Amino acid sequence: MNFFDAQDKAKRATRRLIVAYVVATMLIVAGVTAVVGFALYSNMQPVQPAVLVFTAIATLLLITGSSLYKTARLAGGGSQVARDLGGTQVAPDVSDPLRRRLRNVVEEMAIASGVPVPDIYVLEQEAGINAFAAGLTTGDAAIAVTRGTLEVLSREELQGVVAHEFSHILNGDMRLNIRMMGVLFGIMVLGLVGRLILRGGYHASLGSSRRNRGGGPALVIGLGLLILGSVGVFFARLVKAAVSRQREFLADASAVQFTRQTDGIADALKKIAAYQQHSYLVAADPEEVSHMLFAHGARFSALFATHPPLMERILALQPQFKPGELPKVELPVTPSVSQMDTTGKTMGFAAGGDIAASVSIPDSIGNPSLQHVLFAGALRIALPDTLYGAAHSPTSAWLLTLALFIDPRVENSASAFELLTQQLGEQRSNLVRNYYAELAEGSSQWRLPLLEIAFPALRQTPEQRLDYLLELSQRLIELDGKVALQEFCLYRILKLNLGNARQPSSRPKADASRDDVRAAALELLAIVAEQGNPNDSARRAAFSAGAALFGAWAETAEYRSVTNPVQAARQALDVLQRMNNAARRSMVEALAAAISSDRQLSVSEAELLRAICASLDCPLPPLKVERVLEQS
C-alpha cells in the first residue's frame, strides 16, 4: 500500500469510526433511559415522560461533552498524550547514552522520511517493552518508548520499533488514533466511572443505599449505569480492535521496508514474548491508548485485542520461526557500550539485506527504504559538530534557522548580517555568521535535514519569539529584492510545521474546486519547469512531460512563463494543499517528470522537489541516495 492509498484508508476508517460512535451513543442513551424507567417502575414510583426525556438528554450531553473535552485536550498534539501517560521528554541535547541512542535512531528515521524530528519521550515508570506515536500532524508528532524498551532492546531492535512507529506517522494512523481516543472516550466514560466505583466506594455506597429507605432506585440506577458503562467499553474495544489489527501488520511490514531486515523488529517482538514484564503498562492506564501502542498494553481477550497475537506477527516476519526458540531475557538487560551510540555522532546501522531497488518518486513518498535510512545516518554524521549541536539547542536552533535563510552567495550576504546586527546585536549576529560560513562550505543537502532536526528545539521557544523568527526569516529572504523558490519553500516548511505544532487541529477547511486545483497545478508545473532549464525550449519540454501525466484535461495546456514565481507558488500551494490524495499523487508525478525530463537531476532540483512535497504534506525521502553526499 502506498502513501496515498494509506491516507485514503485512514480517512475511510475515520468515517466508519464516526458511524460506530453515533450508533453506540444512541444505544447507550436508550439503555440508560430504560434503566431509569425500570428503576422507577420497580420501586412503585410514577414513570414520568419528562424524567425519561431529561435522562436521555443528560446522557447524550455527558457522552458528547466527554468526547469534546477529550478531543479539545488532545488538540495539544502528541506531546500532550505522552505527558498524560507520565512521559518525560528527552532533551534535544541529551547526553545519557541510552537516550542519545534513541534520539539518533529517531532523527535518522525522520531525515530518511522527510519529516520534522518528532518530540521524544520515555515512560520512566514502565518496565515493559512498548512504544507509541501520537499527534495530529507531522509538525506536532511525538514518539514515546518505555524504560524497558531502552534497557532491553539492542539498537537494531530499537530501530525496528521506531520504524514501526514512523509507519503509523506516515500512513495516517497517528491522526486516526488520536481521533479514536477523543471520540471513544465519550462512550467509555460510563465504564471508566464504573471502574472507579468498583475500585473505591462501591461497597460503601451499597451499604449506605441499604440504610437509606429511598436508596432503592439509586441502587438500581447505579448498577444499571455500571452495566451500561461496560457496554460502552465493549463498543470502544470492539471498534479499536476492528480498526487497529490489520494496520499493525502493515506497520510491521513497513518497518522491514525501512530497515531492509526482519531481525530487528522480529527480535523485539520475541523479547516481548519472553520478557517477564512483556509489553504491559503498569503506571499508566492502557485502556484509552491500547490501540496506538506497539504491542498489547494490558491483557485483553482475543475479541477485543487491538493487536494480532505476538506469535502471528513474528511468523508473518519469519515464517520459519518456532515458538520454542524464544530467547531468554533477563531483568533488566542493559546494552553493552558497544551497542550504544556513546556520542551524538556515532553511527550504528542495522546490518543485513541488499539495498532496495529504486522505486518511482511518488511510490517512495511516505515509504523510505534502507537506502534512505543509510543516507540519513551518513548525512547526520557528516554534519559539522557546530551545526549539529546548534540544531539541538533551544537557544542556538533559533539562530541556526536564520543562517539557513541567508543567501549562499557571499556578495549578497553582507546586507543580511547588517540587518541581523541591528536586530540581534553583534554577539548573536556573529554566531549566525559562523553557522552561515559552515553551511556555505558544506552541501546544499544539509539545509532541510538541519531544519528537521531543529524542530524539537524550536518547539520549546516561546510563541512570540517564534513569530519574530518567522518575520526575520522572511525579511532575510526578501532582502535582495527577489526570493529564490527554494528559499520560499524552505520558509513555507518552517511556517507550516511551526503552525501545526502550535495549532495541531487546524487543517484546510474544505477541498478546493476542480477548476482551481487544475489551474494551480499547471501554474506550479510551469514554475518548476523554469527552475532547472536554461532555455525556453527545454522549459516547454519539461512542462509538457509533466502535463502529460495529468490526463486528457491537460492535453491542450501550454507553457507560460511566470512573472513572479514566488508569489505564484504561494498562491498555487495554498490551493493545492486542499486537494485530495489522488490529485496530490498526480501532482507529484507531474513535478517529478518535469524535473527529470532532461534526464539530469541536480541537488538543487532534488531539494526543491522535496521542499514542495513537504509543503503539500507528502514527505519525500532524500533523492539520489546512492551518491550519499554531494558537495555543492
Side-chain angles (χ1 to χ4, degrees), residues 241-305:
V243 171
S244 301
R245 285 184 202 167
Q246 198 57 39
R247 302 186 79 82
E248 292 302 318
F249 280 123
L250 174 61
D252 286 346
S254 296
V256 174
Q257 170 67 26
F258 292 176
T259 59
R260 192 48 59 183
Q261 52 95 28
T262 60
D263 290 344
I265 187 168
D267 288 349
L269 292 169
K270 292 173 192 175
K271 283 188 174 180
I272 291 174
Y275 187 43
Q276 179 179 338
Q277 306 296 325
H278 296 290
S279 57
Y280 303 143
L281 301 186
V282 178
D285 187 351
E287 183 67 67
E288 290 185 79
V289 296
S290 58
H291 60 291
M292 59 197 304
L293 297 173
F294 173 72
H296 295 297
R299 297 181 187 274
F300 293 113
S301 68
L303 177 64
F304 303 120

Side-chain angles (χ1 to χ4, degrees), residues 215-510:
L219 178 59
V220 173
I221 292 172
L223 292 174
L225 289 178
L226 192 57
I227 295 171
L228 288 170
S230 300
V231 172
V233 173
F234 171 86
F235 275 115
R237 288 180 178 175
L238 203 61
V239 170
K240 288 192 292 185
V243 171
S244 301
R245 285 184 202 167
Q246 198 57 39
R247 302 186 79 82
E248 292 302 318
F249 280 123
L250 174 61
D252 286 346
S254 296
V256 174
Q257 170 67 26
F258 292 176
T259 59
R260 192 48 59 183
Q261 52 95 28
T262 60
D263 290 344
I265 187 168
D267 288 349
L269 292 169
K270 292 173 192 175
K271 283 188 174 180
I272 291 174
Y275 187 43
Q276 179 179 338
Q277 306 296 325
H278 296 290
S279 57
Y280 303 143
L281 301 186
V282 178
D285 187 351
E287 183 67 67
E288 290 185 79
V289 296
S290 58
H291 60 291
M292 59 197 304
L293 297 173
F294 173 72
H296 295 297
R299 297 181 187 274
F300 293 113
S301 68
L303 177 64
F304 303 120
T306 53
H307 294 65
L310 283 173
M311 205 52 61
E312 284 188 22
R313 294 173 68 182
I314 295 170
L315 290 174
L317 297 167
Q318 296 180 341
Q320 75 282 4
F321 177 74
K322 295 184 172 102
E325 298 174 352
L326 285 174
K328 183 179 179 181
V329 182
E330 302 293 339
L331 176 68
V333 179
T334 302
S336 64
V337 173
S338 63
Q339 292 175 302
M340 298 183 190
D341 289 351
T342 53
T343 71
K345 303 303 289 299
T346 300
M347 183 176 180
F349 294 115
D354 296 329
I355 290 180
S358 298
V359 296
S360 69
I361 287 176
D363 287 338
S364 68
I365 288 177
N367 189 28
S369 65
L370 176 63
Q371 285 182 307
H372 300 116
V373 177
L374 292 175
F375 170 84
L379 189 148
R380 184 177 64 82
I381 291 172
L383 291 172
D385 290 337
T386 305
L387 300 179
Y388 189 73
H392 289 90
S393 167
T395 54
S396 300
W398 200 86
L399 301 175
L400 172 64
T401 302
L402 293 173
L404 296 175
F405 291 104
I406 297 177
D407 195 321
R409 293 167 296 185
V410 177
E411 62 271 17
N412 293 336
S413 64
S415 55
F417 290 114
E418 290 179 8
L419 172 64
L420 291 177
T421 302
Q422 294 172 0
Q423 297 293 321
L424 305 177
E426 187 172 352
Q427 184 176 3
R428 287 190 292 176
S429 176
N430 286 337
L431 286 174
V432 178
R433 187 187 298 272
N434 294 338
Y435 300 147
Y436 166 81
E438 293 211 56
L439 285 168
E441 293 177 1
S443 169
S444 60
Q445 288 178 294
W446 289 357
R447 292 177 179 268
L448 185 55
L450 277 170
L451 189 60
E452 291 166 348
I453 293 172
F455 271 115
L458 291 176
R459 293 187 197 107
Q460 300 180 25
T461 306
E463 189 166 333
Q464 288 184 336
R465 192 165 175 78
L466 286 180
D467 290 336
Y468 183 52
L469 170 63
L470 291 171
E471 177 190 340
L472 198 51
S473 298
Q474 186 169 1
R475 292 178 65 181
L476 285 172
I477 64 177
E478 294 175 348
L479 200 59
D480 58 356
K482 57 182 180 179
V483 180
L485 189 59
Q486 289 163 298
E487 292 176 339
F488 162 73
C489 289
L490 197 66
Y491 174 79
R492 187 179 178 89
I493 292 170
L494 173 67
K495 187 174 182 178
L496 284 174
N497 283 299
L498 289 180
N500 287 337
R502 289 189 283 184
Q503 294 181 314
S505 58
S506 62
R507 306 289 292 171
K509 294 182 179 179

